[in-house]
Amino acid sequence: MSKADTGNFFEDFQPGQVLRHATPRSLTAGDQAVYTALYGSRFALQSSDVFARQSGLPRAPLDDLLVFHVVFGKTVPDVSLNAVANLGYAAGRFGAPVYPGDTLSAESEVIGVKENSNGKTGVVYVRTRGVNQEGALVADYIRWVMVRKKDPASAAPEPVVPDLPGAVAAEELTIPDGLDFLAFDPVAAGSPHRWDDYQVGEKIDHGDAMTIEEAEHQLATRLYQNTARVHFNQHAEGKGRFGRRIVYGGHVISLARALSFNGLGAAVKLASINAGTHAAPSFAGDTIYAWSEVLEKTALPGRSDLAVLRLRTVAAKDHACGDFPFKGTEGSDGGGRYHPAVVLDLDYSVLMPRA
């Protein structure tokens, strides 16, 4: 009898089920260096101990998305090893900063299940909590994923679909202890634009683009210990719907975040992922462009040094922003459908310095 873990199929998930994920991970400065090499992220808070100390932190924290991806990677063997696709995110919050030497672990609770009409797959909703070695929350989010059934003839479960909030309220965001932008250095940050300089409805073309390389995607996904077969096994995926391996959606999120530096360089700290959709798959060779829209501005009581900017960043493959229409809120054609080029639609909030 094989001792290999075949992962959970749709029938194995039940609302209320708690999954404690294996392999706690101690992160190092080397992990941050590899992450920076993969995406070229230039945000000063995660790049400079000096800048971080000027901002009230003991040293540069690890990139927020590196933390997110590592926590996500812990969940894959239990949640999405047999996934067809990761569909979206909601109610994501970043908690305590993570520093080199911290150890992260994760657990997930199943909060919803719904079989698809084809009877071969279903959607599973989970809430995942990532904590450090002291039990402090570092990341907390909901995601939903399409998972294969092991037996298509098995009975469909009673559908349970959670009520998902549209955004994380400002009062629910975590401001790291000591974080203070009174001495924020715009030259070191690479941007003169602060929270006060942005207007709701403003649209920012980030200008640059990055082509997805197979080797970089493979390295990134292994860095996060993400074992999803759709990203690695060409023998399996060559027979699948697309005939090739799919790029991990989080890889596109990190590419879009790195591109957003051009226009949002002072947005040095992620506070939440309010909602997110992987609108279409990405593959090696796709060139990713990104642009952002300011959705909301929120001042924080008692804080004159920083405030919250809520953004919508859209990433598209092989399609520049300049000739891409901004229409509607669900999709860029205004009819609730995404343009075929759109691969990511991410709603998130950042902490920015005030003027």
Side-chain angles (χ1 to χ4, degrees):
M1 178 180 293
S2 173
K3 293 182 174 61
D5 185 3
T6 59
N8 289 317
F9 291 87
F10 179 70
E11 300 97 314
D12 297 318
F13 295 99
Q14 299 177 2
Q17 179 182 7
V18 175
L19 304 166
R20 184 184 175 196
H21 306 300
T23 319
R25 174 78 176 274
S26 296
L27 292 169
T28 69
D31 293 312
Q32 178 64 38
V34 174
Y35 184 88
T36 303
L38 288 167
Y39 304 106
S41 181
R42 294 178 282 162
F43 293 99
L45 190 67
Q46 293 79 23
S47 299
S48 166
D49 286 340
V50 173
F51 190 95
R53 285 194 291 269
Q54 290 173 345
S55 302
L57 301 181
R59 52 181 167 157
L62 301 181
D63 194 284
D64 297 307
L65 286 176
L66 172 59
V67 172
F68 174 82
H69 296 322
V70 168
V71 170
F72 185 105
K74 301 296 100 193
T75 73
V76 169
D78 298 313
V79 175
S80 48
L81 193 64
N82 295 302
V84 177
N86 189 56
L87 300 177
Y89 312 92
R93 296 178 302 150
F94 292 94
V98 176
Y99 298 100
D102 284 348
T103 298
L104 306 187
S105 57
E107 70 174 29
S108 299
E109 179 184 359
V110 179
I111 60 173
V113 293
K114 184 178 185 296
E115 184 172 298
N116 290 326
S117 58
N118 63 13
K120 299 178 181 178
T121 60
V123 177
V124 178
Y125 298 80
V126 297
R127 179 186 292 277
T128 296
R129 287 173 49 87
V131 298
N132 65 16
Q133 67 279 3
E134 297 174 350
L137 182 75
V138 299
D140 176 24
Y141 62 91
I142 293 170
R143 73 164 169 135
W144 50 104
V145 57
M146 188 187 303
V147 181
R148 294 180 177 89
K149 292 181 69 176
K150 187 172 185 178
D151 178 8
S154 64
E158 186 71 25
V160 176
V161 179
D163 185 18
L164 303 175
V168 180
E171 59 269 21
E172 296 177 355
L173 299 177
T174 298
I175 310 299
D177 291 343
L179 188 67
D180 188 326
F181 286 159
L182 286 176
F184 193 91
D185 182 348
V187 175
S191 173
H193 307 298
R194 304 192 181 204
W195 180 85
D196 304 79
D197 299 320
Y198 294 88
Q199 303 299 320
V200 173
E202 180 180 358
K203 300 174 181 66
I204 304 161
D205 181 349
H206 299 305
D208 300 324
M210 282 193 244
T211 300
I212 297 172
E213 302 292 350
E214 193 76 82
E216 291 174 348
H217 168 249
Q218 296 287 280
L219 178 59
T221 314
R222 286 192 290 264
L223 176 67
Y224 313 138
Q225 296 175 315
N226 182 332
T227 57
R229 298 185 181 101
V230 294
H231 306 317
F232 292 105
N233 190 335
Q234 183 59 36
H235 285 170
E237 295 313 310
K239 303 172 186 176
R241 186 164 47 135
F242 300 107
R244 58 194 301 200
R245 291 167 289 173
I246 299 172
V247 167
Y248 165 48
H251 190 67
V252 178
I253 293 176
S254 283
L255 287 174
R257 167 70 173 161
L259 291 169
S260 76
F261 180 89
N262 187 13
L264 289 165
V268 295
K269 180 72 180 76
L270 290 179
S272 68
I273 294 176
N274 301 308
T277 299
H278 294 298
S282 298
F283 303 97
D286 291 345
T287 297
I288 302 299
Y289 294 80
W291 56 97
S292 297
E293 179 180 2
V294 178
L295 298 180
E296 189 176 351
K297 296 177 66 176
T298 305
L300 297 174
R303 299 298 299 250
S304 61
D305 61 314
L306 60 80
V308 179
L309 196 68
R310 182 179 169 194
L311 300 163
R312 176 196 184 195
T313 293
V314 176
K317 57 184 177 183
D318 304 327
H319 204 116
C321 175
D323 61 348
F324 200 97
F326 269 101
K327 296 178 182 177
T329 56
E330 294 181 51
S332 36
D333 69 352
R337 299 180 303 275
Y338 286 103
H339 186 285
V342 172
V343 293
L344 173 70
D345 188 352
L346 191 68
D347 177 334
Y348 60 106
S349 297
V350 297
L351 302 179
M352 293 190 70
R354 300 204 61 175

